[in-house]
Amino acid sequence: MEFLSSICPPEILCQILVGLSRMTILFIVASGLTLILGVLRIPNIAHGSLYMIGAFVAFSVSKWFGGGTTGFWMAVVLAPFAVALLSLVVERGIFAHLYEREHLMLLLLTFSFALILGDLVKVVWGGEYRTVQLPGSFKGPIPVESLPIPIYNIFLVIIGPFVALGLWFFTNKTKIGKISRAAAVDREMVGAVGINVSWVFAIVFVIGCFLAGMGGALVSPIVNITLGMDHTLIMEAFLIVIMGGLGNVWGALLGALIFGLTQSLGILIWPQFGIVFPYAAAVTVLLFRPTGLLKSTW
Amino acid sequence: MLSVNGIHTFYGLSHILFDVSLTVSQGEIVGLLGRNGAGKSTTMRSIMGLTPPRQGTITFKAEPITRQKAFLLVRRGIAYVPDDRRVFADLSVDDNLEITFRRNEDWNKERVYDLFPVLGEIKSRRGGNLSGGEQQMLAVGRALMSSPELLLLDEPTEGLAPLIVRDLEKQILKLRETGISILLSEQNVKSALKLISRVYVIDNGRIRFEGSLADFEANEEIKKKYLMI
Ligand SMILES: Nc1ncnc2c1ncn2[C@@H]1O[C@H](COP(=O)(O)OP(=O)(O)OP(=O)(O)O)[C@@H](O)[C@H]1O
Ligand SMILES: [Mg+2]
């Protein structure tokens, strides 16, 4: 660690860590978005709203359990499931009947959903800022080097690879995952080998939305939970998905890494315009690889 | 077993099939012969519910199946091998077989690999990396995994080398011995005649001839006019 600080001053280390934990949230949300985009071919603008709902539900759950450690863990575990349940209802009730429509129609439809869900949040939780308490053990500064950011950031950075691994396992090792990979390319033929594609889509949609909710729940202790938090995120998530290659989960990981790191390091280089860096990175990537870094399923 | 009664099928506004009727009985291989663009694949797609007919009816084992969804037809015992094979390119050979719906235990991967030993040797290869012949075998094997009673086999020999065609013919004959019924569409009349017992000739979306193999072989006019042989 002495060595580490000799080549890399603490403030840079801090920014890298912040960038990586930011990347984890972005990856989790974007991987859900790209999964849905790749298999169902729906550009789900309402994905950001589900992320926001995940954060608000996390707030309510945590409050219900009286905050603290229990509240936090309950929130992190239950909020994604709540979002998944909501998405199941929406999918079975509405989307399931519309898969054959044009992409533009679906885009507009999910956009209208984003608006509706936004209003729903306003009705249920109101317009005030909310916060979720971090458990004590996560609050403290990072012991090594005593970096002045919460240990929670390390926790996030550790979760990221597990989610990636879980998704890899789902798409490559489970039957539903294999079916969904086939359906991403040729859904008619998947039906013609006897599979009810509609249910496969429902499962994939719900998993994707679960990830949005999970992102929202995980981010809830480190941001102000507020209306509008969906807007920036959905933009970033789409950018990441496009950068990585539509429908490619590993692409989402790569895109999130680039986005998270350029964002946090950009702040060090040029504080007032730090926000520009990730977008500049995205433009550069797309300039050289218009279809994204990794193989798109489109 | 299968009965198609006066179906009319459209792609959008274009009327493709006109009053097409045909039957397939238990255990027989029936040929649907015709030139490029005659309507063979459209007939197959109509039966499979992929391009449902606007008029007419289809029954399978005496039950109506017109306009039913493809996955339900598979569950009833119909399997489909499209003319362009459409193996799942991203999945391995093994996974292509594995994800298919299985009605019962009659067919499994081992039995498919027994029928097509070539496939057994390349189990883990990506479907997209197979040769044309291997893809055709995989498409047939995949269809068999659902243990069908009726197989819709659309131009299996298209684009295959003569040697591989002969192999495939042998395997189709082996299948016939198991009692499966097959509707076989072909342009390659020579190959089809080795397998089938009854013939329909389709041209311009209309059935122009139906009859036994012997009737067909004797009918020079039909052969010349619609199949150019
Ligand atoms: N998706 C489609 N949209 C519009 N027309 C189509 C479509 N598919 C086929 N057709 C038309 O329908 C007619 C019948 O085509 P079909 O594919 O059934 O012929 P085929 O007998 O299978 O020919 P081939 O031997 O070339 O496979 C053709 O005139 C073709 O142009
Ligand atoms: Mg054809």
Side-chain angles (χ1 to χ4, degrees):
Chain A
M1 281 300 152
E2 295 291 313
F3 167 72
L4 204 61
S5 65
S6 71
I7 54 161
C8 197
E11 63 273 18
I12 293 190
L13 215 56
C14 247
Q15 280 309 110
I16 289 180
L17 209 56
V18 168
L20 287 177
S21 57
R22 176 94 190 112
M23 162 214 153
T24 303
I25 302 287
L26 287 171
F27 163 65
I28 291 173
V29 175
S31 65
L33 184 67
T34 210
L35 192 67
I36 293 173
L37 194 63
V39 178
L40 286 74
R41 313 239 147 186
I42 296 184
N44 185 13
I45 305 229
H47 201 72
S49 318
L50 295 170
Y51 159 84
M52 173 168 71
I53 291 175
F56 273 101
V57 171
F59 158 75
S60 291
V61 172
S62 151
K63 202 171 127 197
W64 173 268
F65 285 95
T69 308
T70 329
F72 165 80
W73 284 112
M74 282 311 206
V76 166
V77 173
L78 294 181
F81 282 102
V83 171
L85 195 68
L86 172 70
S87 70
L88 180 66
V89 173
V90 171
E91 199 277 343
R92 285 291 90 183
I94 297 160
F95 285 137
H97 309 289
L98 301 169
Y99 289 134
E100 303 303 319
R101 300 296 175 89
E102 292 165 52
H103 294 138
L104 187 60
M105 274 284 295
L106 290 170
L107 195 75
L108 289 173
L109 187 82
T110 65
F111 184 60
S112 66
F113 262 96
L115 298 177
I116 293 168
L117 292 176
D119 276 350
L120 195 76
V121 169
K122 203 187 289 178
V123 170
V124 176
W125 285 281
E128 289 147 58
Y129 283 84
R130 311 284 186 172
T131 46
V132 169
Q133 265 186 341
L134 266 183
S137 51
F138 275 152
K139 267 190 206 149
I142 290 159
V144 209
E145 297 283 337
S146 58
L147 297 175
I149 51 170
I151 300 180
Y152 187 62
N153 285 282
I154 301 251
F155 170 69
L156 285 180
V157 174
I158 293 171
I159 282 195
F162 280 103
V163 172
L165 215 63
L167 276 172
W168 174 83
F169 186 84
F170 169 73
T171 49
N172 290 289
K173 296 290 159 192
T174 68
K175 195 163 165 186
I176 295 270
K178 289 171 187 171
I179 292 172
S180 66
R181 270 160 64 212
V185 183
D186 191 348
R187 73 173 72 155
E188 184 183 77
M189 198 58 222
V190 172
V193 298
I195 290 150
N196 187 351
V197 181
S198 172
W199 269 106
V200 175
F201 279 10
I203 292 167
V204 171
F205 187 76
V206 167
I207 291 176
C209 295
F210 179 92
L211 290 166
M214 183 173 173
L218 286 173
V219 87
S220 67
I222 49 172
V223 296
N224 289 317
I225 305 164
T226 168
L227 277 173
M229 67 188 283
D230 52 338
H231 297 163
T232 28
L233 185 98
I234 191 66
M235 294 253 306
E236 294 172 352
F238 263 112
L239 212 55
I240 286 167
V241 166
I242 293 167
M243 240 198 296
L246 302 185
N248 191 314
V249 171
W250 298 110
L253 185 64
L254 206 57
L257 183 69
I258 293 173
F259 205 94
L261 283 184
T262 48
Q263 194 170 46
S264 60
L265 292 179
I267 290 170
L268 279 184
I269 298 167
W270 197 6
Q272 304 94 308
F273 293 100
I275 184 100
V276 174
F277 285 84
Y279 293 95
V283 169
T284 315
V285 165
L286 292 180
L287 223 50
F288 289 102
R289 295 191 66 102
T291 57
L293 290 166
L294 303 183
K295 196 170 146 267
S296 150
T297 60
W298 278 54
Chain B
M1 169 160 257
L2 176 77
S3 162
V4 175
N5 314 301
I7 58 167
H8 290 258
T9 302
F10 296 70
Y11 285 116
L13 288 178
S14 26
H15 196 163
I16 305 292
L17 294 188
F18 300 84
D19 196 28
V20 167
S21 300
L22 57 87
T23 60
V24 179
S25 315
Q26 169 89 50
E28 76 174 335
I29 304 186
V30 174
L32 181 63
L33 309 182
R35 297 185 280 210
N36 278 117
K40 303 180 296 293
S41 299
T42 308
T43 306
M44 297 286 194
R45 291 180 57 86
S46 298
I47 299 170
M48 201 58 206
L50 301 173
T51 310
R54 295 234 183 116
Q55 266 181 59
T57 58
I58 304 171
T59 61
F60 178 60
K61 292 194 282 186
E63 286 173 56
I65 57 162
T66 326
R67 284 182 286 275
Q68 258 199 15
K69 292 218 174 86
F71 80 91
L72 292 173
L73 298 183
V74 174
R75 293 171 188 206
R76 281 173 182 264
I78 305 180
Y80 170 59
V81 180
D83 56 352
D84 45 0
R85 288 127 203 190
R86 288 161 78 175
V87 302
F88 302 122
D90 276 343
L91 302 188
S92 67
V93 168
D94 218 47
D95 287 343
N96 264 274
L97 299 179
E98 184 179 316
I99 68 170
T100 300
F101 177 83
R102 297 184 56 204
R103 299 169 61 230
N104 56 46
E105 296 295 313
D106 276 4
W107 280 88
N108 51 32
K109 285 189 222 167
E110 283 65 46
R111 197 165 162 204
V112 170
Y113 293 142
D114 272 350
L115 184 67
F116 301 112
V118 184
L119 290 182
E121 286 158 28
I122 49 170
K123 281 182 205 184
S124 55
R125 199 173 294 173
R126 269 179 84 248
N129 294 343
L130 303 188
S131 73
E134 291 161 348
Q135 288 197 10
Q136 186 63 58
M137 291 177 211
L138 180 55
V140 175
R142 181 180 63 183
L144 291 173
M145 285 294 284
S146 65
S147 307
E149 293 172 50
L150 171 68
L151 187 62
L152 304 176
L153 202 47
D154 196 356
E155 284 200 59
T157 65
E158 194 185 5
L160 300 187
L163 210 67
I164 300 180
V165 169
R166 236 167 300 149
D167 255 8
L168 203 64
E169 285 163 1
K170 268 185 228 147
Q171 279 130 353
I172 293 172
L173 286 174
K174 261 196 227 167
L175 281 181
R176 185 171 64 182
E177 284 160 27
T178 68
I180 194 172
S181 317
I182 300 176
L183 179 61
L184 174 75
S185 99
E186 268 299 356
Q187 252 187 95
N188 182 348
V189 175
K190 223 174 97 199
S191 164
L193 292 184
K194 295 184 211 158
L195 307 171
I196 60 186
S197 53
R198 238 156 27 83
V199 181
Y200 291 90
V201 175
I202 187 169
D203 194 67
N204 254 320
R206 292 177 176 84
I207 299 287
R208 306 290 186 172
F209 171 88
E210 78 171 277
S212 69
L213 198 54
D215 288 348
F216 174 76
E217 303 236 51
N219 196 329
E220 292 301 330
E221 191 198 330
I222 286 285
K223 282 203 273 191
K224 206 170 193 151
K225 193 161 168 202
Y226 298 117
L227 300 166
M228 297 194 284
I229 47 170

